[in-house]
Amino acid sequence: AQSVTQLGSHVSVSEGALVLLRCNYSSSVPPYLFWYVQYPNQGLQLLLKYTSAATLVKGINGFEAEFKKSETSFHLTKPSAHMSDAAEYFCAVSSFNAGNMLTFGGGTRLMVKP
Amino acid sequence: DGGITQSPKYLFRKEGQNVTLSCEQNLNHDAMYWYRQDPGQGLRLIYYSQIVNDFQKGDIAEGYSVSREKKESFPLTVTSAQKNPTAFYLCASSIYLGKKGGELFFGEGSRLTVL
């Protein structure tokens, strides 16, 4: 079985501050990992994905995530938050054992204060 | 531009009525999915389909039905048997089911409210 836990359903940062959204996964085989962003009343958009190449993955809008096998983590970061980053972020995992179907975490709502 | 189109964007339904949500994709993807999203609960899989005329139940299929008569289309019917249908519904597609590291592409969603 595979699962994803996103620590913190709500995260608030000031504009210009570091953004850190936490994601831990559980998988008995090497995983593929994804971060999606969702703006209000819209669908999900892929930010980045890890597919066993480089452990540091760069995505759109200045976001990046680092795969750490020893910590079973795939945290999302951005050096400087912008007001337009306010959205909900979802981490997801897929693996061969689960037919490469995606399992989503519960989401983290990012709020950016001016 | 290729993508996934969901309609309607907003839908209101009276209790006891069936409603059908449309999902069309022009990405030439084989696999299509329906998810339900409730506040604080992430995405839950309702149904998925890997080819035409074939579909499988997801984690919360009760009270829902689907069809896949064309590759491009995967409509979802919310039946009167669904006890709590008010939610945001998301349609997605992927190149094919089981692709290693394959991501999902999402539509803009349909918000259903039961009055």
Side-chain angles (χ1 to χ4, degrees):
Chain A
Q2 60 186 22
S3 65
V4 173
T5 301
Q6 292 185 238
L7 296 175
S9 58
H10 292 79
V11 170
S12 181
V13 300
S14 297
E15 191 172 20
L18 171 72
V19 175
L20 171 61
L21 304 182
R22 299 179 185 274
C23 172
N24 287 89
Y25 69 91
S26 172
S27 174
S28 58
V29 297
Y32 303 103
L33 295 158
F34 309 80
W35 275 102
Y36 283 86
V37 61
Q38 182 183 35
Y39 298 101
N41 289 312
Q42 293 188 23
L44 278 67
Q45 178 185 5
L46 183 68
L47 272 177
L48 49 83
K49 68 176 183 180
Y50 167 76
T51 56
S52 75
T55 56
L56 182 63
V57 183
K58 295 185 183 298
I60 61 172
N61 301 339
F63 284 93
E64 62 182 36
E66 186 173 9
F67 172 67
K68 292 187 177 181
K69 183 178 179 180
S70 60
E71 299 177 8
T72 61
S73 69
F74 190 58
H75 302 331
L76 183 70
T77 60
K78 182 175 181 177
S80 176
H82 191 273
M83 296 297 291
S84 61
D85 295 325
E88 188 149 22
Y89 293 80
F90 291 93
C91 183
V93 63
S94 70
S95 64
F96 175 76
N97 276 10
N100 293 307
M101 294 278 286
L102 270 69
T103 298
F104 288 86
T108 297
R109 183 165 299 278
L110 175 67
M111 294 166 284
V112 182
K113 299 175 292 185
Chain B
D1 287 332
I4 300 176
T5 301
Q6 290 187 240
S7 63
K9 179 72 172 176
Y10 299 95
L11 184 61
F12 298 89
R13 184 193 98 175
K14 293 182 180 180
E15 284 193 22
Q17 288 182 335
N18 293 356
V19 294
T20 297
L21 307 181
S22 171
C23 178
E24 303 276 335
Q25 57 100 355
N26 61 3
L27 299 168
N28 199 31
H29 286 175
D30 284 332
M32 298 187 73
Y33 313 76
W34 275 104
Y35 288 89
R36 172 180 170 139
Q37 185 177 17
D38 297 282
Q41 296 195 42
L43 277 69
R44 293 183 290 169
L45 183 63
I46 305 173
Y47 268 99
Y48 63 98
S49 167
Q50 57 180 332
I51 56 171
V52 173
N53 293 323
D54 181 72
F55 46 83
Q56 307 294 327
K57 292 181 179 180
D59 300 319
I60 56 164
E62 185 175 353
Y64 300 98
S65 66
V66 294
S67 63
R68 187 89 186 274
E69 298 178 359
K70 299 186 302 181
K71 184 176 182 178
E72 302 80 14
S73 178
F74 192 42
L76 173 74
T77 297
V78 184
T79 76
S80 57
Q82 170 49 235
K83 298 304 180 186
N84 185 20
T86 294
F88 192 55
Y89 291 90
L90 287 160
C91 180
S93 71
S94 64
I95 293 175
Y96 60 85
L97 189 70
K99 181 180 188 298
K100 295 180 182 179
E103 69 261 36
L104 297 178
F105 296 78
F106 285 86
E108 292 289 290
S110 292
R111 185 168 297 281
L112 172 63
T113 303
V114 175
L115 303 173

